[in-house]
């Protein structure tokens, strides 16, 4: 039996990974981590300068990456993203649906309906757009992986965050439905729950009731999410699907 030090390093050699929200935070960390594992990276986000920076970092380290501006809440933009990325990289094997926002912070009574809907359009409908666009490309490769970036708030509500909680709850259900629809094509779909991660978005979301207020919780860097994402990306075709993998220390 091999010791942990002798276990083979996970590799994504020959794989193409498309990552949304790749310009910052968790998305950028996963893009850099997957590139180190050998994958060609298709970096997507709304801000060109950020994804071009991510792609440049990958290239500087000897990897291969492309940067494509896209808004996941717009179906036409997403379909163009996948067509452009597949043409540039020769196909798509892995999709990390990471792009997310939290635009409404009021109680339901005081919430902004436009901000509420905009949150759902990115966090839930945006993943729907990405999955729908990705399926033909993944099937063409004989299978693949879709990793959705969920939240503990989608499994347990938090006052003052109805839009975000509902979007992530819907995402968890979408993950399970997609997994059931796609398993026969060797496409696995799993949810990764990072727990509290120090990012620009989390810095704005640390009010009362936030998981950041729990002393015993693990407050991590984006880079500390990468090993779990890599684990999911390197599982066999008959591996886990319709599952939720969490880095949280407790049910919060």
């Amino acid at each position: 039996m091999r010791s942990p030090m002798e276990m083979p390093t996970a590799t994504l050699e020959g794989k193409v990974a498309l990552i949304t929200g790749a310009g910052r935070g968790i998305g950028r960390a996963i893009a850099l981590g997957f590139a180190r594992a050998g994958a060609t990276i298709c970096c997507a986000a709304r801000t060109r300068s950020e994804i071009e920076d991510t792609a440049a970092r990958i290239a500087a380290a000897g990897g291969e990456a492309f940067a494509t501006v896209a808004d996941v809440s717009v179906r036409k933009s997403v379909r163009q993203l996948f067509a452009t990325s597949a043409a540039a990289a020769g196909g798509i094997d892995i999709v990390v649906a990471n792009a997310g926002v939290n635009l409404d912070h009021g109680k339901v009574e005081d919430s902004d309906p436009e901000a509420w809907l905009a949150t759902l359009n990115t966090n839930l409908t945006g993943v729907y757009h990405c999955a729908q666009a990705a399926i033909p490309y993944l099937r063409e490769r004989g299978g693949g992986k879709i990793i959705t970036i969920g939240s503990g708030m989608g499994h347990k509500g938090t006052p003052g965050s109805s839009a975000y909680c509902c979007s992530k709850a819907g995402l968890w259900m979408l993950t399970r439905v997609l997994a059931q629809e796609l398993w026969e094509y060797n496409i696995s779909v799993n949810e990764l729950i990072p727990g509290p991660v120090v990012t620009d978005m989390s810095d704005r979301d640390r009010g009362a009731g936030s998981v950041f207020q729990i002393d015993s919780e693990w407050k991590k860097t984006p880079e500390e999410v990468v090993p779990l994402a890599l684990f999911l990306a390197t599982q066999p075709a008959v591996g886990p699907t319709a599952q939720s993998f969490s880095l949280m220390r407790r049910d919060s």
Side-chain angles (χ1 to χ4, degrees), residues 5-198:
M5 291 299 291
E6 295 173 327
M7 293 299 287
T9 302
T11 179
L12 293 175
E13 291 289 343
K15 301 297 184 182
V16 178
L18 188 152
I19 301 169
T20 65
R24 64 177 80 171
I26 294 171
R28 181 171 65 182
I30 292 176
L32 295 172
F34 279 17
R36 286 193 297 272
T40 295
I41 308 299
C42 302
C43 306
R46 291 180 297 180
T47 305
R48 181 179 297 278
S49 61
E50 293 180 346
I51 52 174
E52 287 183 343
D53 178 69
T54 300
R57 293 186 186 201
I58 291 171
E64 186 172 11
F66 306 91
T68 303
V69 174
D71 182 345
V72 299
S73 69
V74 180
R75 182 172 182 265
K76 182 178 180 180
S77 178
V78 172
R79 297 187 79 82
Q80 184 60 51
L81 163 67
F82 276 81
T84 300
S85 298
I92 297 171
D93 302 286
I94 302 161
V95 176
V96 181
N98 166 75
V101 297
N102 188 1
L103 303 175
D104 185 73
H105 302 277
K107 294 181 179 180
V108 171
E109 182 180 7
D110 306 313
S111 63
D112 177 349
E114 292 186 2
W116 205 95
L117 286 171
T119 300
L120 265 72
N121 283 339
T122 295
N123 297 359
L124 177 54
T125 306
V127 178
Y128 161 79
H129 287 155
C130 288
Q132 187 181 58
I135 291 168
Y137 296 102
L138 298 177
R139 289 178 63 177
E140 186 176 302
R141 302 281 266 197
K145 306 286 189 294
I146 298 175
I147 302 170
T148 64
I149 304 300
S151 171
M153 293 169 67
H155 293 247
K156 182 176 181 180
T158 300
S161 298
S162 63
Y164 191 79
C165 290
C166 289
S167 70
K168 293 299 185 178
L171 175 60
W172 171 220
M173 181 57 71
L174 178 61
T175 299
R176 287 183 284 181
V177 171
L178 283 168
Q180 293 177 64
E181 292 180 351
L182 300 176
W183 69 268
E184 63 181 302
Y185 305 115
N186 291 324
I187 300 171
S188 65
V189 191
N190 290 293
E191 178 190 49
L192 189 165
I193 297 180
V197 177
V198 180

